Amino acid sequence: ALIGALLVTTVVPLGLITAGHEQSSFREDTELFARALAGFAEDRLDDQFHSVTLTRALLQAQRAGEQVRVYNTGRQVIVSTGGRDLGVPASQLTAALHGRTVLDAAPDDRLRVIAPVTGDRGNSIVGVVVLSRSTDELEERVGVLWAWLITVGAVGLAAAAVAAIMLARWVSRPLSA
């Protein structure tokens, strides 16, 4: 019972902390990629210049199953990876057009980042990038983490039980005799 209590008090917090770190890392990676896309989209929106870097980043995103939309200040889609509409609320587009990055959980278990695209001078917003990334990979990693922690905890508990039984028999042998 003592070993079981010790395992629970160490394994559960470890799992919660690690899962929280995985979720935080996933959010940060998604936000960083959205900001990188916003930087690549700046040439297309501000200078009307075709950006090869943006095209490559969009292809990379599409291969990864991510959806991207680039909006101009008139809220018209300029570039898209295709697929269905992302259903971005107007309030979130407005917030991004005012310079705020918005992280949102989309209804279909996807993380959505709405990032402003700043112009050459850095003081004007010329558009918005919306990146929608599936959380399936994150959920799978967290599931594997919990499976490993439970397995290690169960093996530790079984080993402790076997050791306790052997110790009890060894200690009780002189008493039985």
Side-chain angles (χ1 to χ4, degrees), residues 31 35 91-103 113-117 125 128:
E31 186 175 355
R35 289 182 185 205
S91 62
Q92 292 179 347
L93 279 176
T94 301
L97 286 169
H98 285 94
R100 205 175 104 228
T101 300
V102 179
L103 273 77
V113 178
I114 302 105
V117 178
I125 306 296
V128 173

Side-chain angles (χ1 to χ4, degrees), residues 50-61:
H50 180 72
S51 172
V52 175
T53 311
L54 176 62
T55 304
R56 286 182 183 156
L58 291 173
L59 287 173
Q60 175 189 354

Side-chain angles (χ1 to χ4, degrees), residues 1-175:
L2 179 61
I3 298 293
L6 285 172
L7 280 171
V8 168
T9 59
T10 56
V11 170
V12 172
L14 177 64
L16 292 173
I17 289 168
T18 308
H21 181 268
E22 286 289 329
Q23 291 169 343
S24 176
S25 177
F26 181 79
R27 281 191 306 273
E28 288 172 7
D29 287 347
T30 305
E31 186 175 355
L32 284 174
F33 187 54
R35 289 182 185 205
L37 286 170
F40 301 149
E42 183 270 326
D43 286 337
R44 178 72 183 263
L45 291 169
D46 197 23
D47 303 330
Q48 303 301 317
F49 176 73
H50 180 72
S51 172
V52 175
T53 311
L54 176 62
T55 304
R56 286 182 183 156
L58 291 173
L59 287 173
Q60 175 189 354
Q62 193 169 14
R63 280 193 295 265
E66 298 166 352
Q67 294 178 318
V68 179
R69 299 276 192 282
V70 178
Y71 295 86
N72 63 10
T73 53
R75 300 174 190 224
Q76 296 170 328
V77 176
I78 303 302
V79 179
S80 172
T81 58
R84 59 178 181 66
D85 182 35
L86 297 179
V88 180
S91 62
Q92 292 179 347
L93 279 176
T94 301
L97 286 169
H98 285 94
R100 205 175 104 228
T101 300
V102 179
L103 273 77
D104 179 34
D108 56 351
D109 291 333
R110 297 178 72 86
L111 178 63
R112 187 170 47 205
V113 178
I114 302 105
V117 178
T118 55
D120 284 336
R121 293 164 205 75
N123 58 358
S124 64
I125 306 296
V126 295
V128 173
V129 167
V130 178
L131 170 64
S132 177
R133 181 178 278 180
S134 173
T135 58
D136 291 344
E137 180 184 333
L138 171 66
E139 291 170 5
E140 182 180 333
R141 283 196 319 247
V142 170
V144 168
L145 166 75
W146 279 109
W148 273 105
L149 287 174
I150 290 169
T151 302
V152 167
V155 168
L157 189 59
V162 168
I165 290 169
M166 290 174 57
L167 181 63
R169 286 185 180 167
W170 178 70
V171 169
S172 65
R173 203 172 288 149
L175 295 174

